[in-house]
């Protein structure tokens, strides 16, 4: 039977990247998406903004919602201080299987805990299952209609502290209008929009960075 796009992306990484070299994995995926098949990775333009925010925050506790093939997982994990791990949630088992292999090819498996399941189920379990009190940095890149309910869940579960940084992909395309309205109008967040483009295209998109004020 025909391979899937994530499987073809993995093959491209195994063919064109160097094992244990995260930058070469990132470049191989971007090359595949620009020259072979578009895929919904955060991409190089928004990825550079992600890099700068992660570097600025230098987080000790990190959560990513929406692993997909692990592109942004590799981008984030390669910047973390030694001993720091990130938790990434993926609902789709086929995506998770490819992501584990791409993360391992980059040599970052010891810095990543990939959990399969829905954010609605997993967020309330995080404190107990992973011994986390609060997150320093959260990257939202999963189902766009889950951004708002999940940020409310973070608040309810006490997973945010004064200064926690949330960075959301695709706030313009496909869009997360209710989430934007919430973080931009809530007195509990300081929000800033980083304009960019939908990965590998000229369509408008961007990242929204929101700092929890406590
Ligand atoms: O599709 C699941 N997650 C990906 C969420 N991410 C996106 O949907 C996403 C989409 C786009 C996008 C933009 C323009 C366009 F024309 C088509 C797609 C871009 C992005 O950067 C994303 O991040 C999924 C499946 C499943 O079965 N269970 C749980 N989650
Ligand atoms: Mg995205």
């Amino acid at each position: 039977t025909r391979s899937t796009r994530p499987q073809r992306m993995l093959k491209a990484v195994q063919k064109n990247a160097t094992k244990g070299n995260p930058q070469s994995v990132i470049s191989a995926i971007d090359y595949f998406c620009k020259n072979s098949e578009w895929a919904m990775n955060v991409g190089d333009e928004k990825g550079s903004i992600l890099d700068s925010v992660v570097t600025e925050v230098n987080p000790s506790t990190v959560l990513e919602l929406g692993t997909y093939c692990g592109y942004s997982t590799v981008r984030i994990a390669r910047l973390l201080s030694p001993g720091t791990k990130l938790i990434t949630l993926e609902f789709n088992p086929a995506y998770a299987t490819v992501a584990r292999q791409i993360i391992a090819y980059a040599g970052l498996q010891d810095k990543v805990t990939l959990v399969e399941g829905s954010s609605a189920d997993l967020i309330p379990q995080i404190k107990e299952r992973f011994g986390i009190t609060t997150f320093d940095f959260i990257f939202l890149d999963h189902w766009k209609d889950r951004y708002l309910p999940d940020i409310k869940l973070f608040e309810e579960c006490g997973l945010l502290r004064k200064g926690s940084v949330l960075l959301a992909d695709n706030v313009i395309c496909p869009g997360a209008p209710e989430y934007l309205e919430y973080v931009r109008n809530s007195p509990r967040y300081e929000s800033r929009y980083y304009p960019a483009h939908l990965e590998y295209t000229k369509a408008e998109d961007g990242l929204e960075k929101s700092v929890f004020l406590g």
Side-chain angles (χ1 to χ4, degrees), residues 38 40 91-92 141-144 169-170 173-174 198-199:
W38 185 90
M40 58 183 168
F91 173 91
N92 185 314
D141 193 21
H142 60 327
W143 274 341
K144 309 316 159 192
D169 188 25
N170 311 116
C173 177
L198 176 68
E199 50 269 25

Side-chain angles (χ1 to χ4, degrees), residues 98-113:
V98 167
R100 290 186 199 286
Q101 296 173 80
I102 287 179
I103 292 160
Y105 200 86
L108 294 168
Q109 64 283 353
D110 295 344
K111 301 182 77 68
V112 176
T113 302

Side-chain angles (χ1 to χ4, degrees), residues 81-149:
S81 310
T84 302
K85 287 190 73 163
L86 78 81
I87 299 170
T88 183
L89 302 187
E90 179 48 58
F91 173 91
N92 185 314
Y95 295 168
T97 300
V98 167
R100 290 186 199 286
Q101 296 173 80
I102 287 179
I103 292 160
Y105 200 86
L108 294 168
Q109 64 283 353
D110 295 344
K111 301 182 77 68
V112 176
T113 302
L114 196 162
V115 187
E116 291 183 42
S118 78
S119 51
D121 294 343
L122 288 161
I123 290 170
Q125 300 174 358
I126 285 175
K127 282 192 184 244
E128 191 187 341
R129 274 178 70 173
F130 301 101
I132 301 258
T133 47
T134 58
F135 283 108
D136 299 332
F137 179 75
I138 298 173
F139 182 52
L140 296 94
D141 193 21
H142 60 327
W143 274 341
K144 309 316 159 192
D145 61 1
R146 286 298 316 172
Y147 285 17
L148 182 56

